[in-house]
Amino acid sequence: MAIKEALLALLQRSPASAYQLKKEFDATTSETWPLNIGQVSTTLQRLHRDGLIEQCPDEAADAIKEAAATTTAVDPHATGHVTAPSRTATTSRVRTQPTAVWRLTDTGREAVSQWWSTPVTIEQRGRDELVMKLAFAVSTPGVNVTALIQRQRSALQRLLHDVTLARRALPQNDIAGLLVLDHHIFATEAELRWLDTIDEHRLRAHI
């Protein structure tokens, strides 16, 4: 997964802290590829090392954090009740929990522009573990390939059911979320069709 490029793309929208980037990444992908804050922080350090991002000056960073902290929040204990944090609490959080706010450098903007204009290759998608597992299974004596395929099919069917429900629950104006979940649905359906074509005895006969 292109975490580095995704974070650069989010920073192209506006400067942000590691926590803000995690929230925006999860929201954009409908939490189908959740990131932990450690992954985000480590990636940001590498981007900084490579000269693709830099920290905002203190004054600009404070303004960005202040705006984010004073955004109204929904009270989780009362449906529809909206509250806003007090300025005193906000100021205290900013003062006692200093957080780096990152922005793109010129080199970072060039890197994002190149990412948008470059097609994704098969090599960039990485190895498919299921394909590798089956390739080794059919050539390894004693492995019950039929049972392996059945377990995988059941898992994919459960995944397809869950993703389809999540897709139906999304608002129609969440274009990014619909795009991500539609891809999951189509990819899962394709993988199920591929499993249906596998015949253990026919494959072993050619080894």
Side-chain angles (χ1 to χ4, degrees):
M1 181 168 51
I3 298 175
K4 178 184 78 173
E5 289 81 1
L7 295 184
L8 290 174
L10 289 173
L11 288 173
Q12 186 179 43
R13 301 178 186 176
S14 64
S17 66
Y19 178 69
Q20 290 168 326
L21 289 168
K22 171 186 161 39
K23 287 183 64 179
E24 291 183 30
F25 181 95
D26 289 346
T28 302
T29 61
S30 294
E31 300 188 10
T32 54
W33 299 300
L35 290 181
N36 63 56
I37 194 65
Q39 287 177 289
V40 177
S41 298
T42 299
T43 304
L44 288 173
Q45 292 302 322
R46 290 173 181 166
L47 293 173
H48 182 239
R49 178 199 64 194
D50 295 340
L52 300 175
I53 62 174
E54 63 186 4
Q55 288 192 38
C56 291
D58 291 342
E59 298 80 3
D62 287 344
I64 293 166
K65 287 182 283 188
E66 182 81 9
T70 54
T71 300
T72 56
V74 177
D75 184 348
H77 302 294
T79 302
H81 179 63
V82 178
T83 60
S86 69
R87 183 173 179 80
T88 301
T90 298
T91 303
S92 175
R93 279 201 300 274
V94 171
R95 182 170 58 250
T96 59
Q97 298 179 7
T99 304
V101 174
W102 300 96
R103 65 184 181 187
L104 293 179
T105 61
D106 289 341
T107 305
R109 280 185 282 274
E110 291 175 6
V112 178
S113 178
Q114 183 175 9
W115 188 50
W116 296 134
S117 61
T118 304
V120 177
T121 64
I122 293 297
E123 290 78 9
Q124 288 172 297
R125 298 188 180 189
R127 300 181 181 91
D128 188 308
E129 183 177 350
L130 176 57
V131 175
M132 284 198 300
K133 179 186 285 189
L134 285 172
F136 283 100
V138 298
S139 56
T140 302
V143 177
N144 188 334
V145 178
T146 300
L148 188 159
I149 291 172
Q150 186 53 47
R151 285 192 296 271
Q152 187 66 38
R153 182 183 287 109
S154 297
L156 288 172
Q157 288 170 339
R158 289 193 299 272
L159 174 62
L160 182 60
H161 176 265
D162 292 343
V163 175
T164 301
L165 288 180
R167 167 67 168 78
R168 291 173 181 168
L170 275 185
Q172 290 303 302
N173 61 354
D174 186 355
I175 304 302
L178 293 172
L179 184 153
V180 170
L181 293 182
D182 279 345
H183 179 270
H184 274 294
I185 290 171
F186 296 146
T188 304
E189 289 175 338
E191 202 153 71
L192 281 167
R193 289 196 298 272
W194 174 66
L195 287 177
D196 288 340
T197 69
I198 299 174
D199 182 318
E200 176 181 2
H201 300 292
R202 179 175 58 83
L203 288 173
R204 289 192 185 278
H206 291 284
I207 296 173

